[in-house]
Structure formats: C-alpha cells, structure tokens
Amino acid sequence: MEIYILSISIIACIYAIMALGLNVMWGMAGLVNLGLVGSMAVGAYTSALLTTSAGVSIPLGILAGIVAATLFGAVLCLITSRLKEHYLAIVTLGFAEAIRIVASNEIWLTHGTDGISGIPGPFRGTVTTFQYNLIFLAIVAVIALAVYVFCQRILYSPFGRVLHAIRDDEVVVGVAGKDARVFKVQAFAIGSGIIGLAGALYAHYTSFIAPELFVPLITLYVKLSLLAGGVGNNRGAILGAGLVIIILEGTRFLVPYIPYITPPQGAAIRELLLSAGLLIVLRYRVKGLIPEAHDHLTVRPAVLAEAALRRQPA
C-alpha cells in the first residue's frame, strides 16, 4: 500500500507539471492546445532513446527531451499562428495523433507498438522498490516546485503581462507596438518544453513507454485539472492535478462494490464519476477552486517609484 501511495503521488506531481505548462499556454496566453500529449511523447521518446541507445546520462536525456519538446512547440505554433480557438484546438489534436502514429510505425527508431523498455531510472536496481519510489518522489516533487517558481516568475514579469494582454485583446497589443506572434510562439514553446519535461520524467519512472500510452485522454485529464483548479493560476493548476488524481484513483476502490458490472463498464463508471465530480466543482466554483488573481496585472508602487527616479534629470 505504501508503494501504491508513493506511485500515485509521483503521477500527481507529473500531472501538476503538465498542468503548469498548459497554464503558460492557455491560462496566460489564451492558446488552446489539445495536443499537449504530443509534447509529452516527444519529451519521453527523446530522453528514452538517448539513454537506452546512445548511453546518455539521465539528466542529459531529460534536458534533450525538454529541448526537443520546446522546438516541437515552437514549430507547431509557427505553423498554426494564424489559427484561433476551435481551429487551433483541432489542428493541435491532429498533430498529437500524428506523433503517436509516427511512433507506432517507425519501428526502426521507436520499436513501434512494442515500445521502449529498460529505460533507466535513478538508483533503480540498487535500492528496494519502496526506496526507489521514495527517491523518485523527492526528485519529481523538487522539479515540480522549481517549475512552479519558474511559472510564477513568468506570471509576474512584463512578459507575463503581455501574454495576458494577448489573451484579452490581441489587437490592443499590436497597437501598443508588440509583436503578438512572437510572444505566442515563446509561450507555446515554454509550455511545450515543460510538458516535455513531464514526459521525460514519466518515461524514466515507469521504465517503459509505448505509443498507446500517449492518448488524447491524458490531454483531457490535464485540461480538467487546470479547469478545476483555476485557469490562469499556477497554484490552481497544482491543486487541480491533485484533485483529478485523487478522484481517478479513489473511484478505483469504489467500483468493485457496484454489482453486476464488467471491468470495462467499471472503467467507464470511473470516467463518469470523474466527470460528475468536476461538474459539481465547477457548478459552485465557476472559475475553479483557486480563481485567477489579478495582482500580477498591476505595477507595484516600488517599481513605479524606481521608474520615476530614472526619469528625473541627473
């Protein structure tokens, strides 16, 4: 039971990292991305291939996964920069499916549907299963905290304020002399890189990846996490990820008590209970459990005073 709790905590941290990445794209810049599982797959496959086939160390493999996912996000945003809302969502969903199909068919590179096994993990094989899960939980928790601090820095920076302005009215940003397209590409690339980091961590934790693991359902879970926690709020992203994992795993113990249902029906009931739970949350908390704060959109008095001093003649 202890190992199960540790494992679920690790998955919750990985989902929290993905929700933070999605918040940069969607919550701050208003870019609807239904293909974030594609960025996760790029990060996971890049790190897995480098560490298993090229003998690269785990940290370098994860770093390469982040870079690859960042480039993937930047290219994807450049291609789709003229699309908005539903059109952008459909195209990004198609790109994610394209990544999964490529991973299934390029057997020489990805081993196809057999997947990649034996992906190394930190201290795996030298410690017990419990100790391995405990160590990995500590690592992924520290990384999640670092990503949170990084996203908070973005939120309160001039760059973050421009992203919010793009989300609210892109035309006004253009009138102010800002190139909205450049900022959107940067936001998409940063968010994609963070999600790629989560994918690389997932690969090294589970030691096995295959195309069927990167299905659109993961995108749905992460989006639900951000919706429930609060779009535009980094703390809400983390809270929402924890809530989704708790509901998903909690219903696993509830379903066996429902009589006369088959295992596939039980899985469907779990999804139904997750949907019902989140509908209840959003019924009473329309903007999520932790709504977006607006203090980051105001300039602090200390900054104004510093700017006034700079304008004074010497």
Side-chain angles (χ1 to χ4, degrees):
M1 190 64 179
E2 292 85 358
I3 295 175
Y4 172 74
I5 294 173
L6 289 174
S7 178
I8 295 307
S9 301
I10 292 168
I11 297 299
C13 287
I14 291 174
Y15 269 66
I17 293 172
M18 287 196 288
L20 287 169
L22 178 63
N23 195 40
V24 175
M25 291 185 278
W26 187 30
M28 297 184 195
L31 299 169
V32 181
N33 181 7
L34 287 184
L36 57 92
V37 73
S39 301
M40 181 187 181
V42 170
Y45 268 98
T46 302
S47 188
L49 287 170
L50 289 176
T51 53
T52 55
S53 302
V56 173
S57 64
I58 295 174
L60 284 179
I62 293 175
L63 182 61
I66 297 171
V67 172
T70 302
L71 293 175
F72 170 75
V75 172
L76 178 58
C77 190
L78 282 172
I79 296 172
T80 61
S81 60
R82 295 184 181 277
L83 301 178
K84 294 182 179 179
E85 298 181 352
H86 301 92
Y87 300 101
L88 177 61
I90 292 170
V91 172
T92 52
L93 178 63
F95 267 94
E97 280 299 285
I99 292 289
R100 191 167 65 86
I101 291 171
V102 168
S104 299
N105 291 280
E106 296 300 325
I107 299 173
W108 62 275
L109 180 64
T110 63
H111 301 177
T113 54
D114 290 339
I116 301 174
S117 59
I119 303 170
F123 304 105
R124 182 185 283 124
T126 59
V127 296
T128 65
T129 304
F130 175 79
Q131 290 171 334
Y132 173 73
N133 280 273
L134 194 60
I135 291 171
F136 207 97
L137 176 59
I139 292 172
V140 78
V142 169
I143 292 175
L145 178 62
V147 172
Y148 168 75
V149 172
F150 175 67
C151 291
Q152 283 290 95
R153 294 283 295 177
I154 293 177
L155 186 67
Y156 286 91
S157 69
F159 174 69
R161 284 192 282 272
V162 174
L163 294 184
H164 278 90
I166 292 172
R167 183 192 66 182
D168 296 339
D169 194 335
E170 188 175 329
V171 176
V172 173
V173 174
V175 172
K178 302 288 186 184
D179 189 341
R181 189 186 184 201
V182 173
F183 284 91
K184 287 162 69 176
V185 170
Q186 290 174 343
F188 215 96
I190 292 171
S192 183
I194 293 173
I195 294 168
L197 166 65
L201 290 171
Y202 177 81
H204 287 289
Y205 173 62
T206 60
S207 80
F208 173 78
I209 57 172
E212 59 265 26
L213 295 175
F214 302 101
V215 293
L217 193 60
I218 293 179
T219 297
L220 181 61
Y221 287 156
V222 177
K223 289 189 83 72
L224 288 176
S225 299
L226 193 55
L227 274 172
V231 178
N233 193 308
N234 291 319
R235 286 182 297 158
I238 295 174
L239 179 63
L243 178 66
V244 166
I245 293 299
I246 288 173
I247 294 177
L248 274 175
E249 295 302 320
T251 53
R252 187 187 300 277
F253 299 97
L254 180 64
V255 168
Y257 291 99
I258 303 175
Y260 311 116
I261 62 169
T262 62
Q265 290 172 332
I269 288 175
R270 288 180 62 203
E271 304 294 340
L272 181 64
L273 292 173
L274 173 64
S275 303
L278 293 177
L279 280 174
I280 292 172
V281 171
L282 294 175
R283 170 65 180 81
Y284 295 100
R285 304 283 294 186
V286 177
K287 295 184 178 180
L289 293 171
I290 307 179
E292 179 184 11
H294 295 284
D295 58 333
H296 57 279
L297 299 178
T298 58
V299 182
R300 297 175 182 174
V303 176
L304 290 174
E306 184 180 350
L309 287 173
R310 288 179 180 174
R311 286 197 296 270
Q312 289 180 357

